[in-house]
Amino acid sequence: MPIIRPSSDLRNKYNEISNLCHETNAPIYITKNGTGDLAIMSIELYECLIERFEIYGKIEKGLKSVKNGEEYSVDEVFDEIEGEV
């Protein structure tokens, strides 16, 4: 179940919100005038989501290559992977 807090809590209870982000490792939804406005999360969760997004992009690129009939040797694949590190 998502954690939903009013925007005033960012100002008045920042430490509590920060602790919740780190303890739950999930985004917290912030409302403004009773309507959803923002989602906040810890830096650790943000970085994890970004890494996952980048991996999904590489998988999509690979699937498109297969669909287009492109072929690569194992050495070419590893050279490309090592070059991106």
Side-chain angles (χ1 to χ4, degrees):
M1 178 136 180
I3 301 171
I4 302 170
R5 302 295 288 264
S7 60
S8 61
D9 280 2
L10 284 175
R11 179 178 52 252
N12 301 326
K13 300 178 182 178
Y14 177 84
N15 286 334
E16 182 180 326
I17 298 292
S18 175
N19 289 338
L20 274 172
C21 285
H22 291 283
E23 290 168 4
T24 63
N25 205 30
I28 297 177
Y29 299 94
I30 304 296
T31 61
K32 182 177 180 181
N33 298 323
T35 304
D37 187 45
L38 301 170
I40 61 171
M41 65 188 80
S42 69
I43 293 292
E44 294 83 9
L45 178 58
Y46 175 78
E47 290 174 348
C48 178
L49 292 175
I50 292 299
E51 287 175 13
R52 191 174 296 170
F53 179 74
E54 290 172 352
I55 290 169
Y56 290 157
K58 290 177 183 180
I59 291 171
E60 182 179 15
K61 180 181 174 184
L63 290 173
K64 284 181 182 178
S65 293
V66 169
K67 188 175 182 179
N68 293 333
E70 299 173 20
E71 295 181 9
Y72 301 95
S73 71
V74 172
D75 290 333
E76 289 174 315
V77 172
F78 279 108
D79 287 345
E80 185 172 337
I81 290 171
E82 291 171 356
E84 293 180 7
V85 176

